[in-house]
Amino acid sequence: MKFIFLFISFSLHAASYNIDTGASKITWNATKVLGGHVGTVNFKEGHLKVQDGKVMGGKFVVDMKTIIDLDLDPSGPWNQRLVNHLKSEDFFSVEKHPYAEFVIKKSKKIEGSTFNIKGDLIIKGIKKALEFKGDIKIGEKNLKGKGSLVFDRTDYNIRFRSGKFFKGLGNKLIHDQVKLKIELVANRP
């Protein structure tokens, strides 16, 4: 009888939240010697597991086909040229790898609503461990989170104009670090 009571008590503190893809957003920022670009990419789906006010796990799927650029005129030829190049084999190989994923392995509450989140970022089928800080406010019916992370594109075999692989690029060099700003809204089912 005690085992059943403990199981029921344990279950009452566990919750699952499904991402609201329309209210959640990923903004990317990539730089080069002479400037850079900013854009967005959309979540396809995702969920978080929460227990006793702590994020215990989760998985997010990003639809790489939705990548857009925000800093170039959307009606001009350079915008679509850049987006097509980002989707090409030089960068994210979207035809072969239409989705990227982030799988939360564990998190640690630092203070207040700040968490240190550890997980695996999977791009082009390549999985690398990643760690970042995020602000996650957990409510009874919904969850809101914000965070920023940086990944090295060369870890995912994205070498186009990287100084690690090509010398003498001068002002054509593209930096390896890509910054992501994440705004997340998730609801209890």
Side-chain angles (χ1 to χ4, degrees), residues 92 96-97 99-100 121-128 156:
F92 294 101
K96 290 180 187 173
H97 304 282
Y99 304 108
L121 180 62
I122 304 161
I123 299 174
K124 294 174 64 171
I126 301 167
K127 178 169 59 172
K128 295 287 181 182
Y156 302 93

Side-chain angles (χ1 to χ4, degrees), residues 59-178:
K59 179 179 177 180
F60 302 99
V61 180
V62 177
D63 186 349
M64 296 302 293
K65 299 180 297 291
T66 66
I67 193 166
I68 62 169
D69 173 80
L70 297 175
D71 60 89
L72 296 172
D73 179 359
S75 61
W78 292 106
N79 187 299
Q80 195 56 51
R81 185 176 175 189
L82 171 64
V83 169
N84 289 340
H85 196 198
L86 291 173
K87 292 179 179 181
S88 78
E89 293 295 316
D90 283 340
F91 287 93
F92 294 101
S93 306
V94 172
E95 191 172 312
K96 290 180 187 173
H97 304 282
Y99 304 108
E101 296 180 2
F102 184 73
V103 179
I104 296 174
K105 295 295 187 180
K106 65 181 181 175
S107 74
K108 181 179 181 183
K109 195 170 196 174
I110 298 172
E111 184 179 345
S113 59
T114 304
F115 287 80
N116 189 55
I117 301 163
K118 293 182 181 184
D120 293 326
L121 180 62
I122 304 161
I123 299 174
K124 294 174 64 171
I126 301 167
K127 178 169 59 172
K128 295 287 181 182
L130 192 69
E131 183 176 339
F132 67 98
K133 287 188 176 120
D135 184 72
I136 303 172
K137 292 180 174 53
I138 302 166
E140 189 66 33
K141 302 232 184 246
N142 63 31
L143 176 151
K144 294 183 179 182
K146 290 182 181 182
S148 297
L149 62 99
V150 177
F151 70 90
D152 184 330
R153 66 186 177 99
T154 63
D155 287 342
Y156 302 93
N157 200 27
I158 302 171
R159 299 178 178 188
F160 186 78
R161 292 190 185 164
S162 168
K164 289 181 186 175
F165 299 97
F166 303 98
K167 302 298 176 208
L169 290 169
N171 65 8
K172 295 185 186 272
L173 178 116
I174 298 172
H175 299 131
D176 296 330
Q177 305 299 312
V178 177

